Amino acid sequence: MGTIFRAVAGLGLAIILSTSALAQDVLKSHGISAFGDLKYPADFPHFDYVNPDAPKGGTMSFRGQGASRTFDSLNAFILKGEPAQDLELLLYDSLMVRAYDEPDAVYGLLAETIEYPEDRSWVIFNLRPEARFSDGERVEASDVKFTIEAIKRDGAPRFRIPLTDVDTVEVLSPHRVKVTFAEGAVLRDLISNVGQTPILPEHFYEETEFNRSTLIEPVGSGPYRVFEADPGRSITYCHVDDYWARDLPVKVGQDNFGCVRYEYFADNTAAFEALKSGNYLFHEEFSSALWATSYDFPALNNGWMMQTVLEDARPSGAQGFWLNLRRPVFQDERVRRAVGLMFNFEWSNETLFSGLYARTDSFFENSEFEASGPLEGAELALLEPFRDQLPETVFTEPAFVPHVSSTRQIDRRAVAEAGALLDDAGWTVGEDGLRRNADGEVLSVTLTYDGPGFERITLPFISNLQRLGIDAKNDLIDAAQMQERQQAFDYDATVGRLVPPATPTPGALRTIYGSDSADQPGSFNLSGLKDPVVDAMIDAAGRAESRDELRVALQAMDRVLRARHIWVSNWTKGEHWLAHWDVFGRPEIKPPFTRGHRYWWYDEDKAAALRAAGALR
């Protein structure tokens, strides 16, 4: 339980409190969570999942991944340019940081404490006076104000949308800043949203325009700085000398590597060969085919590399082929359902994935928020007012699950069902075998994605769609084009995996599923969903006063999303597949809600043994 004490508002704080807040007690704490309880007290020495005595030094190296396999910018906070990987995580501290053995708790980093009323309608962050940027300048309240206002004005949606409900930011003193939230906002998670925003140095942006892609070395307050950037090839971050926060409880046992490097490769084959030869040291494998058949090479057989499987307790999220409802062809639910029937997961899993995956049913897969069975109880009560806006099947049938196909690529039952849906929607087969509507327009669907390794999955899907009479095409593009096309929503269907946090916040949910994000370029609303019932469920989730209420709201939301058929769900696994050279140590405890590599360390004795064996340079 966290240490929280109450101070009567209207005494020493009266000059800064709003009239509506004067009737409330003000709470002061070292942390905050969605539903109150904190695991760690104010005087905790470190998180349980770190090794406080972990040695420092050495280099951790990865393959650069993400939407792009290159970079041309060191500004992570805007849409322009393609930023280098993990800039915002390594270079910038936030006011508060997550504890990854709790589903939603955050604790003070730049902010030593916070003060807020019981309704959470505002918050005061009390900054640590010792906090410094990498150039030695103090982190002050004016930097917090600048950051929030700049991101709200010009930031990329993933940073901007969580700050939507910030009304005002007031500098009370050099080390005190007050954030007030908009009237009528869903308040529960807003302090955490603001608290986890990376804080930028106002003085740096007096010389460098915030809304500009740049390769100028950034100034941050975090543990690392950019040491060397070779756009499109590699970026190396090295530890800041005398990093101001390294001995704070929220930082003990973390950021143990002297340097962190990302190597970029044009294709998967070159990247895999580089891993095998030790050009980078740590990799998470996302290809079942490679994991099942290709990890048989000298470095592994000699014991120089290791394959490690770690449990992943995070929500697996939603991976699939997202159907763009902005396209007229996909505004008909029957068309969307028909397209979904043509992806044969069972055949793909047996033939392509070595049986290593399970089918994704839910938008909150691998979490307590998955809907299941018939609609009843509290879920029914929540959705009943929206009955006239929902398919009757939401109320009469169990939560939707995808069709279970045969293990032949063409499932005749699925083809028949999909054909009947398209016939009913007015898309009939002509003499040339293509489906047309009453106006003679051909039913055409193009699947856009990057990564040639994905063709083995998409080509059979395209073939099945063509068998149905759809003019289906495969659109394989490069990584830079993919990022641009997804930001502009320029596709019929595209591939994506969208993962909410362990306790999904309204800000995160709106970015993916909210009506407001559907027309915001760069948002994660890949389907272009605008659904008032989904919006209402996001609001209900935000107003939940207990985890049980949150679970009910999100299960109801999941049920509605599944009934809308906005995607063709793919596959899931509740594990991390790691391949890494045997040069690391790691804590005995893995936190459930993160991969945990930031708490590993470089073991110089192991590395020396591999160098002596000629395995590494």
Side-chain angles (χ1 to χ4, degrees):
M1 186 75 176
T3 300
I4 297 178
F5 66 85
R6 299 171 183 267
V8 178
L11 297 178
L13 297 179
I15 59 170
I16 59 170
L17 301 184
S18 66
T19 303
S20 61
L22 290 175
Q24 300 185 58
D25 287 348
V26 174
L27 296 86
K28 186 174 183 179
S29 179
H30 64 295
I32 194 169
S33 70
F35 301 111
D37 289 346
L38 295 173
K39 173 180 177 179
Y40 294 98
D43 60 350
F44 77 102
H46 54 78
F47 292 128
D48 289 346
Y49 47 82
V50 305
N51 173 9
D53 301 316
K56 307 292 185 181
T59 296
M60 168 68 95
S61 54
F62 306 88
R63 173 191 176 184
Q65 291 181 320
S68 174
R69 284 185 287 274
T70 185
F71 74 94
D72 60 12
S73 175
L74 298 180
N75 185 345
F77 303 101
I78 60 173
L79 282 178
K80 298 175 184 176
E82 297 177 26
Q85 191 163 340
D86 282 354
L87 275 164
E88 70 275 22
L89 298 177
L90 298 176
L91 266 65
Y92 302 92
D93 281 336
S94 52
L95 296 162
M96 310 186 83
V97 291
R98 279 284 312 273
Y100 287 103
D101 53 355
E102 299 177 82
D104 51 44
V106 292
Y107 296 86
L109 176 53
L110 287 169
E112 186 171 12
T113 59
I114 56 174
E115 301 168 29
Y116 58 96
E118 291 177 296
D119 69 357
R120 305 191 182 194
S121 58
W122 53 263
V123 60
I124 293 172
F125 294 98
N126 296 305
L127 304 185
R128 299 180 191 270
E130 68 270 29
R132 295 287 190 280
F133 290 106
S134 57
D135 61 0
E137 294 290 325
R138 293 179 183 272
V139 180
E140 297 190 340
S142 58
D143 297 301
V144 178
K145 178 180 173 67
F146 166 80
T147 297
I148 294 173
E149 292 178 348
I151 289 176
K152 283 198 67 177
R153 182 181 62 250
D154 296 320
R158 68 188 180 108
F159 296 106
R160 186 178 72 247
I161 290 176
L163 300 178
T164 298
D165 291 319
V166 171
D167 186 22
T168 61
V169 186
E170 303 171 65
V171 174
L172 305 178
S173 75
H175 296 112
R176 282 169 62 84
V177 59
K178 181 183 180 183
V179 178
T180 302
F181 302 114
E183 186 174 351
V186 179
L187 299 169
R188 189 194 63 221
D189 300 299
L190 295 184
I191 294 175
S192 176
N193 287 353
V194 174
Q196 293 180 81
T197 301
I199 300 303
L200 311 177
E202 182 180 22
H203 65 276
F204 176 79
Y205 292 99
E206 291 173 354
E207 303 293 333
T208 302
E209 185 180 352
F210 173 75
N211 192 25
R212 182 167 69 89
S213 174
T214 180
L215 287 169
I216 296 173
E217 180 181 344
V219 171
S221 59
Y224 291 90
R225 62 181 182 86
V226 175
F227 178 75
E228 184 176 29
D230 186 357
R233 297 178 63 88
S234 69
I235 184 165
T236 303
Y237 307 96
C238 289
H239 215 284
V240 174
D241 293 337
D242 300 321
Y243 170 50
W244 74 272
R246 71 185 310 161
D247 296 323
L248 290 181
V250 294
K251 280 293 187 178
V252 168
Q254 304 181 40
D255 306 315
N256 299 315
F257 299 103
C259 293
V260 176
R261 187 175 72 251
Y262 293 90
E263 300 279 357
Y264 287 80
F265 300 90
D267 60 72
N268 292 334
T269 300
F272 192 56
E273 292 303 315
L275 173 67
K276 291 193 291 186
S277 62
N279 284 357
Y280 64 100
L281 302 175
F282 182 102
H283 177 65
E284 180 166 4
E285 184 59 71
F286 295 101
S287 167
S288 60
L290 286 177
W291 189 253
T293 64
S294 298
Y295 280 83
D296 181 15
F297 47 83
L300 269 174
N301 298 334
N302 291 332
W304 300 335
M305 277 187 70
M306 303 176 67
Q307 283 181 279
T308 301
V309 177
L310 298 179
E311 182 182 359
D312 184 4
R314 301 172 303 171
S316 298
Q319 176 170 316
F321 305 122
W322 295 84
L323 308 179
N324 190 353
L325 276 62
R326 305 171 186 87
R327 298 283 204 256
V329 68
F330 283 135
Q331 290 175 10
D332 192 320
E333 181 189 301
R334 294 166 295 186
V335 175
R336 304 196 299 269
R337 287 170 58 193
V339 169
L341 282 163
M342 290 299 93
F343 176 62
N344 189 331
F345 167 77
E346 284 69 29
W347 175 84
S348 300
N349 196 37
E350 181 177 282
T351 307
L352 306 176
F353 305 150
S354 303
L356 294 174
Y357 290 129
R359 183 75 188 264
T360 297
D361 296 329
S362 166
F363 290 84
F364 299 101
E365 193 74 26
N366 194 38
S367 79
E368 63 188 293
F369 308 122
E370 294 182 48
S372 63
L375 180 63
E376 57 190 9
E379 256 192 278
L380 173 59
L382 193 58
L383 288 177
E384 183 63 46
F386 305 98
R387 184 182 283 267
D388 63 344
Q389 300 177 57
L390 292 169
E392 186 61 23
T393 54
V394 170
F395 297 90
T396 60
E397 298 180 7
F400 175 80
V401 294
H403 172 82
V404 177
S405 296
S406 69
T407 52
R408 298 171 62 93
Q409 181 182 331
I410 295 294
D411 183 291
R412 295 180 185 273
R413 289 188 302 117
V415 172
E417 184 178 345
L421 285 166
L422 292 180
D423 288 341
D424 189 49
W427 294 96
T428 56
V429 179
E431 293 182 1
D432 59 359
L434 293 176
R435 289 186 178 270
R436 289 179 169 82
N437 62 13
D439 296 327
E441 297 169 326
V442 173
L443 177 53
S444 178
V445 175
T446 299
L447 177 59
T448 300
Y449 63 96
D450 68 329
F454 218 64
E455 283 183 301
R456 68 193 184 98
I457 302 162
T458 60
L459 289 176
F461 180 37
I462 294 295
S463 176
N464 288 354
L465 291 170
Q466 292 170 342
R467 172 76 173 262
L468 192 60
I470 296 174
D471 180 23
K473 300 183 180 68
N474 210 43
D475 185 19
L476 174 61
I477 58 179
D478 65 35
Q481 288 178 302
M482 182 69 168
Q483 183 159 315
E484 292 174 4
R485 296 273 295 275
Q486 285 193 339
Q487 287 179 351
F489 310 126
D490 182 16
Y491 48 81
D492 294 339
T494 192
V495 177
R497 179 180 179 225
L498 304 174
V499 184
T503 298
T505 64
L509 295 172
R510 288 191 191 109
T511 304
I512 304 173
Y513 305 113
S515 295
D516 290 344
S517 65
D519 297 323
Q520 291 194 35
S523 83
F524 295 130
N525 192 338
L526 298 179
S527 67
L529 182 67
K530 294 181 179 180
D531 190 315
V533 183
V534 171
D535 293 338
M537 294 305 101
I538 293 174
D539 286 344
R543 298 183 193 281
E545 296 182 358
S546 69
R547 199 159 187 90
D548 282 344
E549 290 184 11
L550 177 68
R551 176 178 47 77
V552 168
L554 293 181
Q555 286 176 344
M557 178 179 166
D558 185 40
R559 192 179 297 270
V560 173
L561 287 169
R562 288 156 74 168
R564 294 303 194 200
H565 302 282
I566 63 174
W567 70 334
V568 181
S569 68
N570 285 173
W571 49 84
T572 185
K573 61 179 176 64
E575 299 172 329
H576 297 282
W577 296 340
L578 305 182
H580 55 92
W581 286 77
D582 189 18
V583 295
F584 302 116
R586 57 187 174 97
E588 295 180 4
I589 301 172
K590 176 199 171 293
F593 300 120
T594 185
R595 187 168 67 183
H597 67 275
R598 294 190 70 182
Y599 317 119
W600 292 24
W601 58 89
Y602 193 81
D603 189 317
E604 182 54 45
D605 290 340
K606 289 182 177 181
L610 292 190
R611 288 195 293 270
L616 288 175
R617 295 190 295 275

